[in-house]
Every structure is written in structure tokens, then in C-alpha cells.
């Protein structure tokens, strides 16, 4: 997929700010700092359109990006950051529910997982949460460049097993550093978008 045009549409704090254009969407979920924004940037070949940060737990908005006027990427706020108040956590939950339960044009999700580690309890909860909405989940095992070649197979198998991934879901080994997995990610996304 050649991306000729990509831009941020809005950082939405609530439903009324979601873009109205009825174009299909792919949402990205994952722990804070796992590499969601880097994934978007790599896929669309832009250095820093989706803001990456070394400080976790920052984004508390749904960031909508338009790609080639064809579809939206939605960068969803991350989870699993310890230093978050109860109140903020509750707000995050409401934000997720409001988006995932009601967004008609949402076609699939990408759950970004750190390939170096066993999925966390929160990762498992998130996978099941997305499946409960009947959504296809592409599991992106990112930061693959940080693994030794000999570890890759075992780590990928662990991810698949711990998440108890369903048949329809694709596991995609990925690195935003090297671009490994980009082709499979595009192929899978375009299939979900019916393009
Ligand atoms: N080596 C390596 N670093 C990555 C990769 N993806 C993300 N990072 C780094 O991980 C940190 C967090 O990335 P970011 O995309 O901001 O995570 P987000 O909070 O999920 O959006 C940044 O320092 C990135 O440079 C990857 O595939 N390989
Ligand atoms: Mg981010």
C-alpha cells in the first residue's frame, strides 16, 4: 500500500468529537509505551505524525488519523501504566466503552504486544474485551528487532498461547525499527477494510 496522504483529523476527548465521515476504521490498542504510535508511523512512512514518547501514560484522547482519504487509524490511549489515579482509570474505561461499543465504522483492531515478554494480564483482558465486541484482532508482536533470532519462534508461540488467539485472528511479527512485518500487516488490514 502506497500512502500518499496522511494527517491527524482530531484528538477526541469524547464521542461528539469523533469524525463524522463514514469511512472505515482500524483501532490500535496496547499498553502505554508498547509502540502504538511507532506502528502507525512505520505503516504510513512518516517519522513522527503519531507522536511517540518515552513518557508513558500521556495520551488521554482518541487520535484519529486519515490515510489516503480511505480509512482512519485510531490511536487509543494505552493501559497498564501504574501511576494513574483511580479517577483517571475510570475515565479511561468509559472512553473505551463509548468508542468500542458504538463506533459503527470500526472494522478491526490491532492489539500491539511487546514481543519480548509474555502478554500481561491486562493484554489478555484487552484481547478478550475486543473479542467480546465481535471484532477481528490483529495481534502485532512488536519490537521484534530486540529479540535474538533464536528467541523469536518461542516468544511468538507464547503470545499466541497466552492470549488463546482465535482462528480468525492473525499474529504479525513486527518491528517499527526495521519494518519487518509491514507487508503482512498491510495485507491483513486491507482485507479487513475490504480494500
Ligand atoms: N527497538 C524498537 N523500539 C521501539 C519499537 N516500537 C516502539 N519503540 C520505542 O518504544 C517507545 C514507545 O513507543 P511509542 O510508539 O511512543 O509507544 P505508545 O505509547 O504505545 O504509542 C519509543 O521510545 C519508541 O522508539 C520497535 O519496534 N523497536
Ligand atoms: Mg502513543
Amino acid at each position: 500500500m502506497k500512502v500518499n496522504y496522511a494527517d491527524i483529523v482530531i484528538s477526541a476527548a469524547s464521542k461528539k468529537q469523533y469524525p463524522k465521515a463514514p469511512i472505515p476504521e482500524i483501532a490500535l490498542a496496547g499498553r502505554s509505551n508498547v509502540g502504538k504510535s511507532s506502528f502507525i508511523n512505520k505503516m504510513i512512512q512518516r517519522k513522527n505524525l503519531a507522536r511517540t514518547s518515552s513518557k508513558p501514560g500521556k495520551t488521554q484522547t482518541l487520535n484519529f488519523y486519515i490515510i489516503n482519504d480511505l480509512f482512519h487509524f485510531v490511536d487509543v490511549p494505552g493501559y497498564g501504566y501504574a501511576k494513574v489515579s483511580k479517577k483517571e482509570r475510570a475515565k479511561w474505561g468509559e472512553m473505551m466503552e463509548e468508542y468500542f461499543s458504538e463506533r459503527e465504522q470500526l472494522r478491526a483492531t490491532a492489539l500491539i504486544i511487546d514481543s519480548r515478554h509474555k502478554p500481561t494480564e491486562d493484554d489478555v483482558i484487552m484481547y478478550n474485551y475486543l473479542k467480546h465486541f465481535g471484532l477481528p484482532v490483529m495481534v502485532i508482536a512488536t519490537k521484534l528487532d530486540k529479540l535474538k533470532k533464536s528467541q523469536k519462534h518461542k516468544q511468538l508461540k507464547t503470545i499466541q498461547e497466552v492470549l488463546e488467539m482465535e482462528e480468525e485472528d492473525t499474529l504479525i511479527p513486527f518491528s517499527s525499527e526495521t519494518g519487518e512485518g509491514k507487508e503482512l500487516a498491510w495485507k491483513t488490514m486491507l482485507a479487513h477494510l475490504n480494500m
Side-chain angles (χ1 to χ4, degrees):
M1 171 90 173
K2 189 167 175 350
V3 175
N4 300 308
Y5 175 73
D7 204 358
I8 178 128
V9 181
I10 192 164
S11 291
S14 71
K15 194 166 87 180
K16 54 182 187 298
Q17 295 180 307
Y18 297 170
K20 305 269 183 309
I23 59 172
E25 259 167 36
I26 303 245
L28 282 93
R31 266 171 41 219
S32 26
N33 226 30
V34 71
K36 288 186 302 300
S37 303
S38 303
F39 173 78
I40 294 177
N41 289 330
K42 191 69 198 177
M43 292 299 284
I44 63 176
Q45 317 227 62
R46 290 277 292 269
K47 270 233 159 67
N48 214 12
L49 180 63
R51 298 240 306 278
T52 58
S53 122
S54 48
K55 284 189 214 122
K58 278 212 83 180
T59 337
Q60 283 301 333
T61 52
L62 294 157
N63 295 330
F64 290 78
Y65 298 90
I66 177 91
I67 316 298
N68 282 358
D69 282 330
L70 281 178
F71 75 96
H72 290 141
F73 263 139
V74 186
D75 197 357
V76 165
Y79 52 81
Y81 182 53
K83 285 184 211 157
V84 171
S85 68
K86 248 191 186 162
K87 201 174 149 198
E88 280 174 290
R89 210 171 295 235
K91 200 175 142 224
W92 177 88
E94 282 166 28
M95 208 175 192
M96 300 296 277
E97 199 70 17
E98 183 175 64
Y99 177 74
F100 284 109
S101 65
E102 292 178 39
R103 190 65 169 165
E104 296 237 332
Q105 63 232 68
L106 179 61
R107 295 286 178 271
T109 58
L111 177 62
I112 319 284
I113 302 268
D114 191 329
S115 64
R116 294 171 297 175
H117 311 295
K118 195 178 129 191
T120 65
E121 237 178 272
D122 286 340
D123 290 332
V124 175
I125 291 169
M126 184 53 68
Y127 179 78
N128 291 326
Y129 180 75
L130 297 171
K131 293 313 289 180
H132 136 95
F133 291 112
L135 291 161
V137 180
M138 306 162 48
V139 177
I140 313 286
T142 198
K143 303 196 183 181
L144 204 71
D145 57 285
K146 296 202 176 196
L147 280 180
K148 289 200 195 97
K149 206 169 169 223
S150 59
Q151 298 173 309
K152 287 185 187 176
H153 179 74
K154 184 173 156 274
Q155 282 302 111
L156 293 169
K157 195 158 172 266
T158 302
I159 290 171
Q160 205 151 19
E161 283 173 2
V162 173
L163 294 180
E164 297 182 43
M165 280 179 65
E166 290 178 17
E167 194 90 40
E168 65 163 352
D169 296 334
T170 316
L171 177 64
I172 301 174
F174 194 86
S175 165
S176 298
E177 202 66 27
T178 66
E180 181 172 357
K182 200 174 141 180
E183 220 165 291
L184 179 60
W186 267 118
K187 192 176 154 222
T188 311
M189 282 199 319
L190 291 173
H192 288 313
L193 291 165
N194 268 321
M195 285 173 187

